[in-house]
Amino acid sequence: MTSAIRGYGLDFGETRYTRDLAAEPYVLPPLADLRVQTTAPAYLDRLAQHGDHESACAYIDPLWNVVLANTRFTDALPDLDRFGDNFLRWFFHPDPSTPSTSEYIVLDRDNFARQLVATVRAALGRHRESPDGLAMVRELWPSPKFRDLWDNDFTLVYGLHPGQPVHLRDPATGEPYSEKVNLGFVPASTLRFCVGNRGPHSGPPPPRSDGHRPSPPTSPRPTSPRPTSPRGGNAADPNQSRTTGQERHR
């Protein structure tokens, strides 16, 4: 396989995906089991540690179910609980009768949608026989954005890197900001650990409700410390592994 990978000049994502397809499929554990797993002290301690540094952080499974998060994370994504604490449902909201605040919160929607779909495609290489994975694709299929990307964009992403910030809007003030997000693997688990650090808005000026674009902010909005109690208890995780294009294959 190594010679084929070299011969075709596959990049990191393509190489990992090829190896995942060559290996035995791994069925995703039930979400309930993951919620029990994150009650272990090591998980809670790590979440609390990052919360003390004013980071938004959460444990997320490969299908973007938010298993455990601190309040800074959930406050930034209002109404996430109405979508079963699943980020994909919240973002794509395939049922048009259920509007989502994601349209207002996520500013660079096209780019972020592409990254989200690419992470799902990559995850389903390893978890290709997981009923929950196939069910999620079917559930999201009514979304034109998801369907177009799934059919026409074959990018593979295995993590998010702080060098590519996500541009968001503060749900309380309406002010834009940029979040440096690191989405890395949790050792010996299917979970990912997501850490977001807020900074000044560095993206294009966001459109206002009247379609005009305001001037970009001249300085970051100061933030005050916030409690870090996660959904359902304390907060934390074991060693976070940074996932970039050069991430080590697990």
Side-chain angles (χ1 to χ4, degrees), residues 34-197:
L34 294 177
R35 295 198 190 282
V36 171
Q37 178 182 336
T38 55
T39 62
Y43 289 83
L44 299 174
D45 291 344
R46 189 57 179 270
L47 200 65
Q49 173 188 349
H50 281 278
D52 290 342
H53 292 87
E54 301 186 12
S55 297
C57 43
Y59 290 98
I60 298 173
D61 79 354
L63 300 179
W64 288 84
N65 288 299
V66 179
V67 179
L68 180 68
N70 66 2
T71 53
R72 187 173 291 273
F73 184 96
T74 55
D75 285 352
L77 307 174
D79 298 333
L80 183 66
D81 57 338
R82 289 201 303 115
F83 295 85
D85 289 319
N86 181 275
F87 192 88
L88 294 173
R89 293 192 192 103
W90 178 80
F91 183 88
F92 290 105
H93 55 98
D95 182 356
S97 66
T98 308
S100 170
T101 53
S102 69
E103 300 281 353
Y104 176 73
I105 298 297
V106 182
L107 299 178
D108 190 8
R109 290 188 62 80
D110 288 345
N111 181 58
F112 196 53
R114 185 171 181 262
Q115 293 186 66
L116 285 175
V117 173
T119 64
V120 176
R121 187 187 301 279
L124 290 185
R126 184 187 185 202
H127 306 296
R128 57 190 176 275
E129 293 188 8
S130 294
D132 289 346
L134 301 176
M136 179 61 68
V137 172
R138 287 194 295 267
E139 183 178 349
L140 298 175
W141 200 251
S143 164
K145 173 62 71 175
F146 178 86
R147 190 166 60 248
D148 177 65
L149 288 169
W150 191 265
D151 280 345
N152 299 299
D153 190 316
F154 302 102
T155 305
L156 298 162
V157 171
Y158 284 91
L160 302 180
H161 184 264
Q164 298 175 315
V166 179
H167 307 299
L168 304 170
R169 192 192 305 271
D170 188 302
T173 67
E175 294 183 13
Y177 66 96
S178 295
E179 189 97 340
K180 293 183 177 180
V181 179
N182 192 355
L183 180 65
F185 285 88
V186 175
S189 174
T190 58
L191 288 170
R192 281 82 164 127
F193 189 58
C194 179
V195 180
N197 293 295

Side-chain angles (χ1 to χ4, degrees), residues 198-228:
R198 180 170 176 160
H201 181 61
S202 60
R208 295 196 306 238
S209 58
D210 58 5
H212 293 89
R213 289 183 176 272
S215 299
T218 56
S219 61
R221 182 176 69 87
T223 57
S224 57
R226 304 185 63 169
T228 57

